[in-house]
Amino acid sequence: MLLTIRKQLKSHPALIPLFFFIGGGAAMSLMYLARLGLRNPDVSWDRKNNPEPWNKLSPNHQYKFFTVNMDYSKLKKDRPDF
């Protein structure tokens, strides 16, 4: 299969940017999915030792990828302890 793709790219060099951007988009989407699965507090990989990981987050812990006009260091605790 790779030999066929290589042959097509040699005969049609205009396809090289298409393969480049499609491959880059696929790699970035896989990295984002891995980040969501590993860093998001809604995902619990170890239910036995940490059944509710969202309760152990401090109020100034930033878990969102991008926020506009939000300074997490100035947030105060406004929820009860469980």
Side-chain angles (χ1 to χ4, degrees):
M1 179 160 168
L2 292 175
L3 185 62
T4 311
I5 293 172
R6 189 176 187 181
K7 191 177 180 183
Q8 288 292 325
L9 287 177
K10 282 187 179 180
S11 62
H12 302 288
L15 292 176
I16 293 173
L18 178 70
F19 278 94
F20 177 74
F21 285 108
I22 295 292
M28 284 190 286
S29 66
L30 288 175
M31 287 189 295
Y32 183 67
L33 283 174
R35 183 189 183 281
L36 282 178
L38 297 174
R39 307 266 307 168
N40 198 344
D42 295 333
V43 178
S44 178
W45 291 96
D46 187 12
R47 287 187 181 185
K48 187 176 183 181
N49 295 327
N50 193 6
E52 296 176 340
W54 50 88
N55 284 335
K56 293 187 178 181
L57 290 177
S58 64
N60 57 3
H61 179 77
Q62 181 181 359
Y63 64 91
K64 290 188 176 183
F65 187 68
F66 180 73
T67 55
V68 179
N69 297 331
M70 184 70 153
D71 189 12
Y72 282 92
S73 64
K74 295 179 181 176
L75 290 178
K76 295 181 181 175
K77 186 175 181 178
D78 61 349
R79 57 183 182 241
D81 291 326
F82 289 106

